[in-house]
Amino acid sequence: MEKQEIKFTKKRIVLGIVVFMLAAGLIFVYMNKVFSMGDDDANRQTFKAMYSEAEDTIDVVYFGTSASNRYFINPMAYEESGMTCFTMATMGMPMFFIPYLAEEIDKTQDPQMYIIEIRWLLKEREQVTDAHIRRVTDNMKMSFTKLAAVNKAFEFMDGSKGMLGDISDKKIDYMIPFIKYHGRLAQNDMAPGDFALTSTKNETKGYVLSESTTKQVNQFYSRLSDERGEMSEEAEVTLEEVLDFCDDCDKEVLFVLSPYSVKTNQMPVFNTAMDMIEDRGYTVINFNTPQMYEELEIDWDKDFYNSKHVNYLGAEKYTRWLTNYLEENYDLADHRDEKGYESWDEAYEVYRDYVKDGIKTIGHKDKIGGKVTIIK
């Protein structure tokens, strides 16, 4: 065989290997997108919305659990003040993820301020589940930031299997979704949209709309206390780490404890946490005091859909009070009528229409007192 033919054959082999690797890579990426958390998952939709936001348009990021994404109505805050706040929260989200989510957001945004909900600090290591971790890590894009977040979760769990005993002992299970979700096909838990890679995103800037948004369930008045109680060791360490992160993040930071039916022995733990936060020089707003309940005009019969979450009536009261506070105490830009922020007006329309239709559909109009306060 001539040298030229040998050289040509080698090129074909190399080209074949390159084509195979590219094809394998594309298949790997595709399969991990198909076999992942369902497109209808509200936590996944929040991440998709965050990743799709126009660069450098978010001024405030609100971190926390469902006590964040069911409380602060970002489109309403924009409608009334022009501030752009996005709620980066998942149900039961461990607080130790905040520095990694902030790093992820900083890749496309340059927020001026962080708001951090502190309710998670009641938790102990054993109360964390596989779902609490995956709602964050499964929805992060593949990157060193995601790897660091997974490593942090494993460091926090320290070998514990958590409340449900479902925490994997292999980090790769949390880096490659296919390993976790490939069984969805056998379980007949796949829809055509999964294979077509449909991408439903949260349309209200991280505020979660659901049937519960217009549901009313009366609640008991909180069991308040001025006493100090002991935090779990892991919660205390986590708070210290988050405070260290805040010291270095070059952002304005506000901590909040949103209003809900606080149970006996919970408030002393929160009081200890708030002492730690204030000792480090940060402001924390405790909405669980008689004075704050009065200022917000909390109605325990109408403003909640369960003991831990407000419906839209309670959320509006909370949003309006906190928006006014932010306007008075922080120099946040008013982006109303500014080019490039049209999606915020659209988000307000989505919220307004959802609440209006929800009340009509569920039949709560009379119970809610006759009017939807934000519909003009």
Side-chain angles (χ1 to χ4, degrees), residues 199-216:
S199 184
T200 306
K201 67 178 184 178
N202 177 290
E203 297 182 279
T204 42
K205 308 298 182 180
Y207 175 71
V208 173
L209 294 169
S210 70
E211 182 178 322
S212 299
T213 301
T214 52
K215 182 180 178 182
Q216 289 178 309

Side-chain angles (χ1 to χ4, degrees), residues 158-223:
D158 191 28
S160 171
K161 291 297 182 180
M163 181 170 60
L164 301 180
D166 56 0
I167 306 295
S168 171
D169 58 359
K170 299 177 182 177
K171 294 180 182 179
I172 194 170
D173 291 353
Y174 295 90
M175 291 299 296
I176 302 177
F178 178 80
I179 297 174
K180 167 73 174 179
Y181 299 102
H182 67 276
R184 289 181 60 200
L185 186 61
Q187 297 166 4
N188 198 26
D189 186 33
M190 303 290 291
D194 290 316
F195 296 98
L197 299 183
T198 56
S199 184
T200 306
K201 67 178 184 178
N202 177 290
E203 297 182 279
T204 42
K205 308 298 182 180
Y207 175 71
V208 173
L209 294 169
S210 70
E211 182 178 322
S212 299
T213 301
T214 52
K215 182 180 178 182
Q216 289 178 309
V217 178
N218 63 303
Q219 303 301 323
F220 64 79
Y221 191 89
S222 291
R223 287 18 175 188

